[in-house]
Amino acid sequence: QARRMRDVLRHEPRHRDERRVERDPAPAPSTVKQFQEQAPDNLPRTYVRFMAACSAARGKIPYDNGYIEFFPIDSVLERNTEHGLPENLSGFFAFGSDGGEELFVFDLRQEDGAPVCSVPVKAPNLENLSPITNSFSEFLEGIVMMGGA
């Protein structure tokens, strides 16, 4: 799994002109610690490790949205508040967007796992929720497989 994450996060394209997920440098350990202290306790460990390896990332993905911008670790909590998740979609945590219309969220309402879903930026509520994968690991696996890893 660590190898797959490194593969998703690699700086160099696999083939010329092919870029998967571009990443920013790793955040300072103090930034990661502050995030962990303030974030929900049941965020997927794979996501927390992903964000500790890069402070933000963006790129093509093999899901309907086609693109993701992972929110920077130092502003992801603010982004959740800005998008009204605590009020409108309690038990969910936004970790990125498609750059416009859709948010990518974790469903943290259950103790064993956090499915990845999407929801419209303008109407983040249960009625508009669309499941994508059963876990963040599965979400990353789809990105790796899209790149032929």
Side-chain angles (χ1 to χ4, degrees):
Q1 190 172 9
R3 184 187 68 70
R4 288 185 194 137
M5 191 177 305
R6 280 193 304 274
D7 194 37
V8 168
L9 294 175
R10 84 170 66 185
H11 282 285
E12 296 302 315
R14 183 169 202 159
H15 306 288
R16 263 195 272 167
D17 301 324
E18 178 191 329
R19 274 226 183 259
R20 285 186 258 166
V21 175
E22 296 177 11
R23 70 177 178 126
D24 294 349
S30 60
T31 301
V32 176
K33 184 178 183 208
Q34 182 178 2
F35 169 73
Q36 289 176 308
E37 289 170 353
Q38 296 175 358
D41 290 338
N42 59 339
L43 281 176
R45 287 178 298 203
T46 305
Y47 168 73
V48 175
R49 287 193 305 267
F50 180 87
M51 295 310 294
C54 64
S55 57
R58 72 217 52 77
K60 293 179 182 179
I61 57 172
Y63 306 108
D64 288 344
N65 313 67
Y67 181 80
I68 188 168
E69 291 178 8
F70 288 92
F71 295 145
I73 193 169
D74 60 359
S75 65
V76 67
L77 296 168
E78 293 169 27
R79 296 276 184 97
N80 274 268
T81 302
E82 289 169 7
H83 289 296
L85 263 70
E87 302 84 32
N88 301 318
L89 206 53
S90 181
F92 289 79
F93 184 85
F95 64 90
S97 78
D98 66 354
E101 302 295 318
E102 296 284 319
L103 292 173
F104 293 98
V105 298
F106 293 120
D107 181 349
L108 301 176
R109 296 174 297 169
Q110 302 188 21
E111 303 226 358
D112 61 338
V116 173
C117 305
S118 66
V119 67
V121 169
K122 294 182 177 167
N125 57 51
L126 288 174
E127 293 78 37
N128 293 320
L129 204 63
S130 298
I132 299 175
T133 62
N134 292 320
S135 69
F136 187 68
S137 296
E138 188 178 311
F139 185 79
L140 286 180
E141 180 73 22
I143 295 170
V144 172
M145 296 307 290
M146 178 186 80

